[in-house]
Amino acid sequence: MSRDGILEAAAEVFSECGYYRASMDQIAERAKVAKGTLYYHFPSKAQLFKQLITEGFRMIRERVEGELNRSLAEEEQIRNVIRHHIDLYLEYSSLANIFFHEISNGLEEEVLRELKAERERYVQFLADLLAGAGQETEARNINSKLLAAGLVSMLDGLCGYYLDHREETTPDEIAWILYRAVCGATACC
């Protein structure tokens, strides 16, 4: 199995069990690899977890950047970014669960510091995307980093709700709510 397959199995195990309860044995079993193969690619559970988070954030950033169309109006770009984040959250819900709920649970201090820095880079990435919204309005002085952090939290909450209550809402409704929240904050829409 490839390194990516190990990361996928690790995402499932960490999501189901949490960082503390997940074991390298469980991950190797889920990935259908020998434990030695697992340790060949990742020398420890903490390093595997760190790599999973780091690569996950990078993948999301790259996919969102790939979806941006600079020729679109700011409102449409914001709409596309929000919708793409929802789609990624739902497609990779195990990974999203780890991003939002496991990053601070009992990790080695150095690994935790690196992961928090990666999460901070991701929030800054979103803040930079949102910073242009409302530039020509009185809302141009809005703290785009705070807005980005709020958007990430709302995304987690609303998508998590959707996963547990699919019969009550839709991804389109979630996108509309997030879009209206961002538009209300930036006055760009």
Side-chain angles (χ1 to χ4, degrees):
M1 175 168 274
S2 71
R3 184 177 181 282
D4 290 341
I6 292 170
L7 287 169
E8 187 176 315
E12 293 170 4
V13 172
F14 285 131
S15 179
E16 293 166 11
C17 302
Y19 178 78
Y20 266 135
R21 291 187 0 243
S23 71
M24 293 294 267
D25 287 332
Q26 289 171 304
I27 295 167
E29 184 179 322
R30 180 77 55 98
K32 295 180 175 57
V33 298
K35 200 168 169 184
T37 301
L38 182 62
Y39 279 106
Y40 172 78
H41 290 288
F42 305 99
S44 70
K45 181 170 82 168
Q47 290 301 315
L48 172 57
F49 189 78
K50 180 181 108 177
Q51 198 62 40
L52 178 65
I53 298 296
T54 301
E55 288 186 23
F57 275 129
R58 284 186 191 135
M59 179 212 45
I60 291 170
R61 229 181 3 254
E62 288 170 4
R63 287 186 58 180
V64 169
E65 284 175 334
E67 290 294 314
L68 290 178
N69 183 338
R70 301 290 181 203
S71 65
L72 294 176
E74 289 173 348
E75 302 87 48
E76 195 60 33
Q77 284 189 44
I78 291 170
R79 203 178 264 124
N80 287 347
V81 166
I82 288 170
R83 186 55 204 231
H84 200 64
H85 273 80
I86 291 168
D87 292 344
L88 287 169
Y89 187 107
L90 298 176
E91 182 179 349
Y92 298 102
S93 58
S94 293
L95 193 56
N97 182 51
I98 293 166
F99 287 166
F100 293 107
H101 306 285
E102 289 296 323
I103 266 188
S104 62
N105 289 334
L107 297 171
E108 299 167 12
E109 192 59 37
E110 181 182 332
V111 171
L112 181 59
R113 198 171 32 257
E114 290 177 43
L115 293 179
K116 284 184 177 180
E118 188 65 39
R119 189 176 196 166
E120 184 69 19
R121 281 188 290 277
Y122 183 69
V123 169
Q124 187 61 55
F125 164 74
L126 287 177
D128 292 343
L129 292 175
L130 296 171
Q135 283 296 318
E136 301 304 318
T137 70
E138 59 194 50
R140 70 181 169 274
N141 293 325
I142 191 165
N143 183 336
S144 60
K145 194 166 187 180
L146 186 59
L147 179 59
L151 178 61
V152 168
S153 293
M154 285 181 65
L155 175 73
D156 174 46
L158 291 171
C159 288
Y161 185 86
Y162 169 76
L163 290 172
D164 291 337
H165 304 91
R166 291 175 194 260
E167 69 284 350
E168 294 179 23
T169 189
T170 66
D172 289 334
E173 186 175 21
I174 293 167
W176 184 84
I177 289 169
L178 290 171
Y179 178 69
R180 295 308 307 158
V182 169
C183 287
T186 61
C188 71
C189 309

